[in-house]
Amino acid sequence: MIIGDNVVWKVGELAELTGITVRTLRYYDQIGLLSPSCYSDSGYRLYDETDLSHLQQILSLKDLGLSLEEIKTILSDKSYDPAKAVSLQIDRLKENIRIQQKLLKELQNVSDLMKMKEPLTVENFTQLFGMMKKSHEKYFTGRKTNMENHLDRLEDFLVKDPGPKEEQS
């Protein structure tokens, strides 16, 4: 859709373009993380190229394991450098690719040995298991860190607001 000289997308169009659900985009708007640039006369959310860039930054930071609240804080910081987040994401992706390539090499080695009907040694299995562990370790480390962050925030909340106090008689 074009309004004036600007290309804009309704929430459904942006969802289709980016692979993000409409529900997620509406939630991001609700929490003030990604609000549309404008609204149509009918009240539809309209997103422009600046919003698209902002969404890319959100997804980059989310991919690095940050919570939405942390992302909101980072993006509101005037000294935030989007290029740094993309650079971190590139580094992380390169490391993941390196690990996956090593796993592929080990799997190919085991496959070749099996095709030649060669016996697999403990060393073959050890190397393969080590690479499989490294491949999956990244996933579980990220989940553990995310859970620890949630627990830390919950603890902070509980310490700040311990709840109703019992009346003393």
Side-chain angles (χ1 to χ4, degrees), residues 23 35 91 93 131:
R23 184 176 180 181
S35 296
D91 291 344
L93 185 57
M131 288 314 305

Side-chain angles (χ1 to χ4, degrees), residues 30-152:
Q30 180 184 355
I31 65 172
L33 185 59
L34 176 67
S35 296
S37 294
C38 58
Y39 291 86
S40 70
D41 293 338
S42 306
Y44 290 106
R45 293 171 174 87
L46 298 175
Y47 297 88
D48 64 15
E49 289 180 17
T50 303
D51 299 323
L52 192 62
S53 174
H54 191 78
L55 179 59
Q56 184 277 325
Q57 293 170 38
I58 291 167
L59 297 178
S60 290
L61 293 168
K62 191 174 176 194
D63 187 54
L64 292 171
L66 299 174
S67 71
L68 295 179
E69 192 60 40
E70 291 166 327
I71 293 169
K72 189 175 177 182
T73 301
I74 289 169
L75 292 178
S76 66
D77 184 350
K78 299 294 181 204
S79 65
Y80 168 70
D81 180 10
K84 187 174 181 181
V86 171
S87 179
L88 286 171
Q89 192 176 18
I90 289 169
D91 291 344
R92 182 178 177 194
L93 185 57
K94 284 179 179 178
E95 176 63 13
N96 288 342
I97 289 170
R98 186 186 66 75
I99 290 169
Q100 293 300 315
Q101 285 174 331
K102 281 187 168 185
L103 176 58
L104 176 61
K105 182 179 174 186
E106 292 302 325
L107 286 169
Q108 285 174 328
N109 182 44
V110 167
S111 175
D112 291 345
L113 290 172
M114 289 176 160
K115 286 177 185 175
M116 295 185 304
K117 307 247 188 251
E118 293 286 327
L120 296 173
T121 65
V122 172
E123 184 181 334
N124 296 132
F125 284 115
T126 303
Q127 288 175 339
L128 181 59
F129 292 148
M131 288 314 305
M132 290 171 67
K133 180 181 176 189
K134 264 191 172 178
S135 177
H136 295 292
E137 199 171 73
K138 291 275 186 192
Y139 172 78
F140 289 110
T141 301
R143 289 193 52 114
K144 180 183 175 201
T145 301
N146 195 19
M147 182 58 73
E148 287 171 350
N149 288 338
H150 287 297
L151 291 173
D152 287 344

